[in-house]
Amino acid sequence: VNLKLEAEAAYVKSTDISLNNAVDNLLYADSRNCALLKEAVMNFLADNHYEAAEKISFDDMPGHVVKDLLIVFGRNSKKDANGTNVDELTSLCVSALRRKLINGFGS
């Protein structure tokens, strides 16, 4: 495991993500390609979406980050708006993708 990934994992474990720091952590994770941190923040926002919608401004959020958030919110749904099955790999979280890579995609 490379040093960047170890440092990122340690940061995610030691940081309490809150409504006060979620946007900063999310934008930092996106700009530095820190998938674990980005996933942790997005999961926090998904779990606290009502409070986040009330207290956080998403006006200046890049469009691709908003799209990623929508994917996290809809991760439990396996169909799109037209009722068509969604490709599983499109909506898997980073941890699940890594497990599939290690165990093989047939698992």
Side-chain angles (χ1 to χ4, degrees):
V1 178
N2 70 33
L3 182 59
K4 178 187 174 208
L5 187 56
E6 286 183 36
E8 182 182 352
Y11 181 80
V12 170
K13 281 184 179 179
S14 67
T15 300
D16 288 327
I17 298 168
S18 68
L19 293 174
N20 294 328
N21 67 18
V23 171
D24 290 337
N25 277 309
L26 181 58
L27 293 176
Y28 178 80
D30 183 63
S31 71
R32 299 291 182 216
N33 198 24
C34 297
L36 292 174
L37 177 58
K38 187 174 179 179
E39 179 179 61
V41 175
M42 287 191 180
N43 287 340
F44 172 82
L45 291 172
D47 291 343
N48 299 282
H49 59 275
Y50 290 118
E51 295 151 292
E54 289 179 9
K55 297 179 181 179
I56 296 175
S57 172
F58 294 93
D59 292 342
D60 296 326
M61 190 79 57
H64 68 277
V65 175
V66 173
K67 181 180 176 182
D68 291 345
L69 277 169
L70 290 172
I71 289 171
V72 171
F73 292 157
R75 190 176 285 149
N76 294 335
S77 173
K78 297 292 183 191
K79 296 188 182 239
D80 65 13
N82 298 321
T84 307
N85 287 330
V86 176
D87 176 21
E88 177 185 21
L89 297 179
T90 303
S91 61
L92 283 177
C93 64
V94 173
S95 303
L97 282 170
R98 286 194 175 129
R99 278 192 300 275
K100 283 199 166 285
L101 181 62
I102 291 168
N103 298 326
F105 282 95
S107 304

